[in-house]
Structure formats: C-alpha cells, structure tokens
C-alpha cells in the first residue's frame, strides 16, 4: 500500500496571496482548521509553521483550485473596490449638489478668500437640480460597476452603501446646524437611513433618493419630542470659534421651520420650488421664510447680509465640527434588528390581545340575571290603629284599677233624670 505524497506548503510570502485569491479571510481559515486567528496570522507572517495534520489541511486549503463561488466572490470584491474608488472621485460633486454645504474644513476655507463675485455667478446656480445630479452620479456609478463586474447591476446593499457614502457625511453636518447637537445629528441621519433601508424598494426608484433621506433626517432632528429625553435636556458644548458660536446661536434662535428653509435654500443650495416642496409649503411662503431668516441673521451678524457670504459661512460652520457617521453595514444591521424587534413586539401584543379576548369570552356570563333592587323607605303611610305595648306606668294603673271593688264609694254612678 503506497502512501500519497504530502501536499507542499507554500512559502510564507505566498500564503496570504493564495488565501485572498480564494476570497478567504483569516477568520475563515481559522474556522476551517480549528485554530485561532492569531495562529493563522503567525503562519502567514512566517513566525511559526503548522505541523502534522494542520500542516496538510492548511496546504490543501491554499493550493486547492478555487471554486466558481470563490471566483465570483473575488470578482465582486474587485468590482466593489472599483466602486469605492469611483465614489471618492464623484463624492464632492454629490455632496455639493444633493446633500448640502461643506465637504471639509480645508476645502471650505481655501475656497472662501477672494473671488466671491465669481463664485456667485458661476459656481452656485439655483437652476441646478440637486436630485437630478445625484441620480446622474448614481447612474454613472452603476455603469462603472456594470463594466467592472459580471453582475448585471448593483445589489441593493451595494446601492444603499453608495448612497450612504455620498449623503451621510454632509447630512450629519446639516443636522448639526439644525439642532446644535452632535449626537442628535448622528442619530437623525442613522434613523433616516434605517428607514430608507427598510423601505428600500420605494427609495431605490425615487427620483431623488438623497432628498428622501434628507427630508426624513430633518423631520427626526426637528421633532419636539427630543426635549423630553433626559440626555437632550441640557445644551452641548458650543463650537470653539467665537464666530462659529455666534452664527450657531443665531440659527438656533430661529423657529425650526425658518431654520430648515434657510438651510435648504442658502446652505444646501436647492431652488425655491424644491425648498417649498420639501418643507410642505407654498413657494411664496418659502420665499418669505427665507427673507425673514436672512433679516434675522443680518441683524445679529451684519457681515452675513449677502447670501453668498451666508452660504460659505454655513459651509465653514458645518465643516468645523468633525462629525463622523457610522459605517453603512452597521446602519443596515441596526435597522434590520430594530425592524425585527418591532415585529416581535407586534406579534406579542397581538397574542396578548387574543388571549385577553379569549379569557373574557370564557369568563363572561352566558345568560341574563335580573338584578335585585335595593330596599327603599316608604313614606306617607297612616299611623298604626292598634294599641302598642303598655308602659310601666300604664301597667301599674291597670293593676290598681283591677284591685278595687266595682261598687265602691269611689265610683260615681250616673243618674238619669
């Protein structure tokens, strides 16, 4: 009986490449071989080497021909890398057009010095539609993914992650301008994207998915119920700069609907009809809100009387705070978990309601029982005619009368005349 030759173990420098070619992580290899992840990392770096049956299993795992599923997974990983690279290229365009002001502290401060008139005429036009630019950028992203991947289109998770990468950073900064609270800004954006993931079939076909998420985040951020929460009863630390603190104080003094309208029109850069539609107001009402908000800001900060100056100051204020959103995978996971919890709560409530109804039907009487009327006092009856019981004095008198003679001298006999 001949023994099959042992599978040669690749060199330490080739082990990681072979593992990645098969779309395996160090955790996957550790799970299959029954070792820890640190052991696999040590094998790949060459600090240690497997022995015995572990060596043979590790060598077969690395030198085996990759399956079709592994090839497809590797192709998808490469396509995702190209998609991420494309996101970094066109993210500034999307952030500036569809999701708001401010893409970074350095960019905003470098773009502010001279040439403000040129920016107002060429760089910022109201006729540009934020939703259309976002949709075009997403279409370009999908075309790049189609050309790089054998899959026909982006998966729902990839499309959601792309939308999140485009919109979330700027939306967090916008929510901070609305509320003045960093944690509430992050929570508002995460809740909005969780709602978007829960209703993704509807959001995916929307004409402006970024606008859908933005409106949801604004509604959650401006909800009056947050003031009842203990963690939001006290104000947070203001910005470090004096100018930033002054502008944020002016914004927070505005009514919420005025603040939202000003941010959409002068901060995000939406047109007046789009601003009116998103705030659920008429176009004249939205215009009046913008004018009154500008006047309130100009009274406190005269240097921001110009709309262009106000736009760039809002961008700088939003970019001054380093607000980071959570990862898209985390947002999707928490959204799915919250949906499962609500579903279980609804099922539990339904079961409880059915149980209470069944108990009520089982214990309820099955026939009618006439109630007993309570006793009442009857008034207006005549007094009793029969004599009642004699008292002690009356009893003594009766006894004395019975003891005397009937014809005694004390008796008076009537005379008939």
């Amino acid at each position: 009986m001949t023994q099959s030759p042992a599978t040669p173990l690749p060199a330490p420098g080739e082990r990681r490449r072979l593992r990645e070619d098969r779309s395996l992580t160090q955790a996957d290899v550790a799970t299959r071989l029954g070792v820890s992840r640190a052991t696999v990392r040590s094998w790949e770096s060459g600090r240690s080497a497997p022995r015995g049956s572990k060596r043979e299993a590790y060598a077969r795992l690395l030198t085996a021909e990759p399956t079709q599923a592994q090839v497809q997974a590797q192709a998808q990983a490469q396509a995702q890398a190209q998609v991420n690279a494309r996101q970094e290229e066109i993210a500034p365009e999307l952030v500036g057009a569809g999701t708001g002001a401010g893409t970074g502290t350095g960019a905003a401060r470098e773009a502010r010095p001279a040439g403000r008139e040129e920016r107002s005429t060429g760089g910022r036009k109201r006729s540009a539609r934020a939703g259309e630019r976002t949709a075009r950028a997403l279409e370009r992203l999908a075309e790049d993914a189609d050309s790089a991947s054998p899959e026909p289109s982006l998966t729902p998770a990839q499309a959601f992650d792309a939308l999140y990468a485009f919109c979330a950073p700027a939306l967090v900064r916008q929510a901070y301008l609305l509320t003045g609270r960093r944690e509430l800004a992050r929570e508002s954006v995460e809740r909005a994207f969780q709602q978007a993931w829960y209703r993704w079939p509807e959001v995916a076909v929307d004409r402006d998915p970024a606008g859908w998420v933005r409106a949801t985040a604004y509604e959650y951020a401006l909800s009056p119920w947050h003031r009842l929460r203990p963690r939001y009863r006290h104000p947070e630390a203001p910005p470090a700069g004096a100018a930033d603190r002054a502008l944020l104080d002016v914004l927070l003094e505005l009514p919420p609907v005025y603040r939202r309208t000003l941010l959409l029109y002068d901060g995000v850069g939406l047109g007046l009809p789009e601003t009116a539609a998103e705030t659920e107001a008429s176009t004249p009402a939205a215009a009046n809100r913008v004018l009154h908000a500008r006047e309130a800001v100009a009274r406190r900060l005269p240097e921001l009387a110009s709309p262009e100056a106000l736009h760039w100051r809002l961008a700088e204020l939003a970019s001054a705070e380093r607000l980071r959103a959570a990862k898209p995978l985390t947002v999707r996971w928490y959204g799915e978990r919250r949906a499962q919890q609500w579903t279980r709560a609804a099922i539990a409530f339904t079961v409880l309601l059915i149980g209470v109804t069944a108990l009520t039907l089982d214990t309820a009487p099955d026939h009618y029982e006439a109630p007993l009327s309570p006793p009442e006092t009857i008034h207006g009856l005549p007094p009793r005619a029969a004599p009642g019981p004699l008292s002690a004095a009356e009893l003594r008198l009766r006894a004395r009368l019975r003891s005397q003679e009937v014809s005694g001298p004390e008796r008076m006999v009537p005379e008939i005349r």
Side-chain angles (χ1 to χ4, degrees):
M1 182 176 180
T2 59
Q3 185 178 4
S4 59
T7 305
L9 185 65
E14 295 291 328
R15 295 170 187 174
R16 180 177 180 180
R17 182 185 61 81
L18 293 174
R19 175 180 59 79
E20 293 177 350
D21 290 344
R22 285 151 183 78
S23 300
L24 297 175
T25 62
Q26 292 180 351
D28 296 336
V29 176
T31 302
R32 294 188 182 186
L33 299 180
V35 296
S36 63
R37 186 177 178 181
T39 303
V40 177
R41 188 184 305 111
S42 177
W43 290 349
E44 291 183 354
S45 62
R47 291 194 299 268
S48 63
R51 298 179 181 180
S53 60
K54 300 293 184 183
R55 176 187 180 91
E56 183 68 19
Y58 186 51
R60 286 199 305 267
L61 183 62
L62 295 181
T63 57
E65 292 294 333
T67 62
Q68 184 66 23
Q70 292 176 345
V71 173
Q72 293 180 358
Q74 182 180 3
Q76 291 180 1
Q78 295 177 356
Q80 183 64 29
Q82 295 181 4
V83 168
N84 295 337
R86 188 59 177 170
Q87 289 177 6
E88 296 178 357
E89 294 179 2
I90 62 178
E93 175 185 354
L94 278 169
V95 171
T99 59
T103 57
T105 307
R109 297 190 183 277
E110 291 176 1
R112 191 179 174 187
R116 186 171 294 169
E117 293 78 5
E118 297 179 0
R119 289 195 300 268
S120 62
T121 57
R124 185 171 175 267
K125 296 182 179 179
R126 298 291 183 185
S127 59
R129 297 294 184 265
E132 296 178 359
R133 297 182 64 181
T134 305
R136 287 198 302 269
L138 289 175
E139 291 177 359
R140 288 163 54 190
L141 181 62
E143 292 175 358
D144 294 341
D146 294 342
S147 60
S149 174
E151 296 294 331
S153 61
L154 289 175
T155 63
Q158 290 176 345
F160 175 84
D161 294 349
L163 180 64
Y164 186 88
F166 292 144
C167 304
L171 275 181
V172 173
R173 292 191 286 268
Q174 296 170 28
Y176 174 70
L177 295 181
L178 284 177
T179 62
R181 297 182 177 275
R182 300 168 182 84
E183 293 299 329
L184 181 57
R186 298 189 187 95
E187 182 182 355
S188 302
V189 175
E190 292 177 6
R191 286 295 183 89
F193 274 99
Q194 288 171 5
Q195 288 290 331
W197 179 243
Y198 181 73
R199 305 172 60 179
W200 185 248
E202 173 187 348
V203 178
V205 298
D206 194 88
R207 295 177 56 186
D208 185 11
W212 192 98
V213 178
R214 180 177 58 241
T216 306
Y218 283 13
E219 290 291 341
Y220 185 86
L222 295 177
S223 175
W225 296 104
H226 293 307
R227 68 185 65 178
L228 302 178
R229 303 171 64 179
R231 61 184 301 184
Y232 295 132
R233 290 179 182 176
H234 304 286
E236 289 187 358
D244 294 340
R245 289 197 301 269
L247 179 56
L248 185 60
D249 292 340
V250 173
L251 291 177
L252 296 180
E253 289 177 359
L254 295 175
V257 64
Y258 283 71
R259 195 187 318 151
R260 179 178 182 178
T261 306
L262 180 68
L263 180 61
L264 289 174
Y265 190 73
D266 285 331
V268 178
L270 296 184
L272 195 58
E274 290 81 4
T275 303
E278 188 161 329
T279 56
E280 298 181 356
S282 62
T283 304
N288 290 332
R289 291 172 182 174
V290 172
L291 292 178
H292 288 301
R294 285 178 176 177
E295 291 176 358
V297 174
R299 281 196 299 268
R300 293 281 300 275
L301 302 173
E303 66 274 10
L304 300 181
S306 173
E308 288 76 17
L310 179 60
H311 170 74
W312 289 104
R313 282 294 295 124
L314 289 175
E316 291 180 354
L317 176 58
S319 303
E321 298 293 331
R322 298 188 177 276
L323 303 174
R324 296 185 180 274
K327 299 296 182 181
L329 180 61
T330 304
V331 174
R332 284 193 283 111
W333 184 82
Y334 275 104
E336 294 172 356
R337 183 180 179 184
R338 181 173 286 105
Q340 292 177 357
Q341 291 176 350
W342 278 107
T343 303
R344 293 171 182 173
I347 293 175
F349 179 76
T350 304
V351 172
L352 178 62
L353 184 61
I354 294 174
V356 171
T357 304
L359 180 62
T360 303
L361 294 176
D362 183 65
T363 57
D366 55 355
H367 62 279
Y368 177 74
E369 297 179 357
L372 298 176
S373 59
E376 296 181 0
T377 303
I378 301 176
H379 301 280
L381 294 179
R384 296 179 59 182
L390 299 178
S391 62
E394 292 175 345
L395 291 175
R396 289 193 300 270
L397 177 60
R398 187 182 66 175
R400 188 169 58 84
L401 290 176
R402 286 180 179 178
S403 65
Q404 294 179 359
E405 297 180 357
V406 178
S407 60
E410 293 85 359
R411 296 275 183 173
M412 294 183 64
V413 179
E415 297 179 354
I416 299 176
R417 294 182 179 180

